[in-house]
Amino acid sequence: MRSQSRKAGLTLLAAVLAFGGAVYGVTRPASADVVAQLNGPQLVADMGAGWNLGNTLEASNNGIPSETAWGNPTVTQAFIDRVRASGFKTIRIPVSYLGHIGSGPNYPVNAAWLTRIQEVVDYAYSRGLYVLINMHGDGYKTVSGSWLICDAADQTTIKDKYQKVWQQIATRFQSYNEHLIFESMNENFDGQYGNPTQPCYSNINAYNQIFVDTVRRTGGTNASRWLLVPGWNTNIDHTVGTGFVLPTDQNRSSSIPANEQRIMISVHYYDPWDFAGQEDGTITQWGAGATNPAKKSVWGQEDYLDGQLKKMYDKFVTRGYPVFVGEYGSIDKTTYDSTNNRYRTDYARAVVATAKKYGAATAYWDNGWNGQHGFGLFNRSSATVTQQGIIDAIMSAAGGSQPTTQPTTPTTPPTTPTTPPVTTPPPTSPGGTSTCRVSSTVNAWNTGLTTNITITNTGTTTINGWTLTFTLAAGQTIVSGWSAGYSPTSGTVTATNASYNGTLAPGGSASIGYQASHTGNAAVPTGFRLNGTTCS
């Protein structure tokens, strides 16, 4: 698989693109040993459909990372809100460090760059999403300033630098809850496509071990959060083979049940490459629905996809290690074949559905480029959807039920650690005049919608524990939700506060929401009652 041509896609910036190429919770005290409550299967289900903020924080120019270096605009909260409103529950944020790393022996990461990374993380984390961050381009030989090179001579210096940089990243985020996931690196290999070489694979395994040990030793939530590690070039065959060695996790929190893991395995899927990424018009169709055999690859169809992900299931998922298909997708070839988007849609649906079948989560690769050879699903400048059909296919395949745990209230993470309030039983309905105000918005697409609801306590006394009842329009069914529990999923629904947002002080508010399917009626919910009292 060729990262260089696969992810760039920005044809007008080809000279620059030498290569192209995861929920807000109450911030815990750094010293707290907070254990993620989800086991592997629960985590995968809760992560839902994922999406990559590609060609952005991993973009660079002359070895200096800059989010606009490859032509994408500066990331905004409005754009991340659009991604979330489209149904994605996980955002992977590739990050490069390169020239923003100072000299040894401490290798300090530029403070402004770390702060910007945190700001972009918070755009997603504050909206109830899982967020993944990694070390993306530092291991690519094709990138100016790269240094995490597995076959370079001075591995002692490389490993020391790698450890120091991850220590700084992990320390910066040590109080974020388990909805933030760290990924050790991206597509690291020796640059030669083919079988892995030694000792290069041994060094990749060593990087993964350094990563796990370093993150765990920084403490806080890092002692128990999920960590993501890849094998050789995130290649499935070379990860299930004999070369990949799972890192030990001996420094993890003692509170994690002995029979549960906190390590995930990262792979990418772009097979067959002649359909998914090769920039020509020869192969434009994929799957059983293809109508022109001459435009369909001779390999890499549904049976191959199933077999590849079953390998990951057999090797890792059965042992409690979730699999994350951190990148998949196919480029736009409609200039060669007007029917191409149909097959891109079929491909995305099949990857997500097959991954779900075998206990894996997924994240679509979006490089921000729309048009010929682009992976884009959104126009990032206008924060609008450009490929609704592909998004619909992803959401349909991801399906899923209500999340196992609900994300916390969308608010900017506090700088001072706080403790979740203790939920007490709902008070007796105040009756009489209304003490609440509710506003709701709906973003709808063909057969789905996302509803965001804000509850405000307009009374003079604190509400300790609440239920909000409302009625869905006919034909609507909730398929997932956040910041509250929802029951039943259609008709008159009762939303019950989560443990962290049960207290509403006078003037205080909580934001909750859900994704629902519909049969043509995307109307807002009606008849809001908070603890039995009608809301204005």
Side-chain angles (χ1 to χ4, degrees):
M1 295 185 293
R2 296 179 57 192
S3 307
Q4 184 171 342
S5 57
R6 170 170 79 238
K7 301 176 185 173
L10 300 175
T11 307
L12 298 178
L13 299 174
V16 176
L17 299 184
F19 81 106
V23 101
Y24 168 63
V26 177
T27 304
R28 269 65 166 200
S31 60
D33 185 13
V34 182
V35 179
Q37 297 301 309
L38 303 185
N39 61 28
Q42 291 169 334
L43 175 71
V44 168
D46 211 40
M47 289 174 71
W51 175 88
N52 274 270
L53 183 67
N55 284 19
T56 302
L57 292 186
E58 85 278 27
S60 64
N61 188 11
N62 294 324
I64 305 299
S66 169
E67 65 185 289
T68 60
W70 294 349
N72 277 317
T74 301
V75 185
T76 65
Q77 183 70 70
F79 174 64
I80 298 302
D81 287 348
R82 170 54 58 193
V83 175
R84 176 178 177 270
S86 295
F88 290 101
K89 294 177 59 184
T90 295
I91 293 184
R92 180 175 180 255
I93 304 175
V95 181
S96 288
Y97 297 88
L98 302 169
H100 283 319
I101 303 172
S103 59
N106 295 324
Y107 302 105
V109 178
N110 180 279
W113 184 238
L114 268 181
T115 296
R116 180 54 183 162
I117 293 167
Q118 185 174 12
E119 288 173 348
V120 177
V121 167
D122 288 346
Y123 291 156
Y125 183 84
S126 69
R127 292 299 197 253
L129 301 176
Y130 280 91
V131 185
L132 293 95
I133 57 173
N134 68 1
M135 183 178 288
H136 200 87
D138 295 64
Y140 284 165
K141 290 184 175 181
T142 52
V143 172
S144 176
S146 60
W147 55 274
L148 189 65
I149 307 301
C150 66
D151 59 351
D154 189 0
Q155 288 295 313
T156 299
T157 298
I158 289 173
K159 291 171 183 176
D160 182 47
K161 182 175 181 178
Y162 182 70
Q163 188 276 329
K164 295 287 176 51
V165 173
W166 263 114
Q167 184 175 25
Q168 293 170 74
I169 301 166
T171 300
R172 172 64 69 108
F173 291 101
Q174 70 181 162
S175 62
Y176 281 57
N177 74 16
E178 60 273 10
H179 286 87
L180 178 64
I181 297 170
F182 298 147
E183 179 181 23
S184 62
M185 53 192 156
N186 180 76
E187 295 183 357
N188 202 300
F189 71 123
D190 63 2
Q192 304 300 313
Y193 293 89
N195 291 324
T197 56
Q198 295 292 349
C200 194
Y201 210 152
S202 295
N203 287 327
I204 291 173
N205 291 328
Y207 300 159
N208 280 331
Q209 188 64 65
I210 292 168
F211 162 74
V212 172
D213 290 343
T214 299
V215 172
R216 292 293 188 232
R217 287 168 178 162
T218 60
T221 314
N222 291 336
S224 58
R225 77 170 71 255
W226 283 94
L227 303 178
L228 180 63
V229 298
W232 180 272
N233 198 22
T234 61
N235 177 282
I236 290 176
D237 289 323
H238 298 326
T239 303
V240 299
T242 57
F244 176 68
V245 177
L246 270 166
T248 61
D249 200 6
Q250 59 189 1
N251 296 297
R252 73 183 199 168
S253 168
S254 60
S255 301
I256 299 173
N259 62 342
E260 291 186 12
Q261 311 300 338
R262 285 294 183 271
I263 291 177
M264 307 173 68
I265 313 302
S266 173
V267 293
H268 296 171
Y269 193 85
Y270 293 100
D271 293 329
W273 181 247
D274 51 5
F275 169 76
Q278 190 167 301
E279 295 182 355
D280 62 28
T282 305
I283 303 300
T284 60
Q285 299 186 10
W286 181 89
T291 59
N292 186 341
K295 292 184 176 294
K296 177 180 175 180
S297 184
V298 297
W299 72 287
Q301 306 303 306
E302 290 95 340
D303 56 344
Y304 179 83
L305 167 64
D306 190 276
Q308 290 297 93
L309 291 181
K310 185 178 185 300
K311 291 177 185 177
M312 295 298 296
Y313 174 83
D314 291 342
K315 183 68 177 284
F316 299 110
V317 177
T318 58
R319 298 159 62 194
Y321 296 95
V323 169
F324 184 60
V325 184
E327 295 180 18
Y328 72 94
S330 58
I331 61 174
D332 189 333
K333 298 184 182 182
T334 54
T335 55
Y336 312 111
D337 181 348
S338 62
T339 68
N340 173 244
N341 276 341
R342 168 190 170 183
Y343 304 105
R344 296 178 68 204
T345 299
D346 290 346
Y347 182 82
R349 181 187 298 109
V351 173
V352 176
T354 307
K356 182 179 179 181
K357 173 183 175 182
Y358 289 117
T362 57
Y364 178 90
W365 177 259
D366 188 326
N367 63 359
W369 178 252
N370 290 282
Q372 187 176 30
H373 304 155
F375 283 94
L377 301 183
F378 301 90
N379 181 317
R380 298 189 186 179
S381 296
S382 61
T384 56
V385 173
T386 60
Q387 293 290 345
Q388 188 65 62
I390 296 177
I391 293 176
D392 287 347
I394 292 170
M395 297 308 155
S396 173
S401 56
Q402 190 168 313
T404 308
T405 61
Q406 303 297 333
T408 54
T409 307
T411 313
T412 302
T415 55
T416 303
T418 59
T419 303
V422 177
T423 303
T424 58
T428 304
S429 171
T433 59
S434 173
T435 60
C436 56
R437 182 176 67 251
V438 170
S439 62
S440 62
T441 60
V442 172
N443 293 292
W445 56 93
N446 293 349
T447 59
L449 59 85
T450 298
T451 300
N452 295 292
I453 299 171
T454 300
I455 310 162
T456 302
N457 178 6
T458 58
T460 58
T461 59
T462 297
I463 296 173
N464 290 308
W466 51 263
T467 59
L468 181 73
T469 58
F470 53 88
T471 301
L472 297 180
Q476 293 185 13
T477 301
I478 294 175
V479 296
S480 65
W482 51 89
S483 298
Y486 298 86
S487 181
T489 57
S490 60
T492 299
V493 177
T494 297
T496 303
N497 67 272
S499 61
Y500 44 75
N501 62 7
T503 298
L504 295 177
S509 62
S511 295
I512 65 174
Y514 58 82
Q515 183 181 342
S517 61
H518 68 84
T519 56
N521 187 350
V524 297
T526 57
F528 292 101
R529 295 173 65 86
L530 185 67
N531 290 345
T533 297
T534 300
C535 296
S536 59

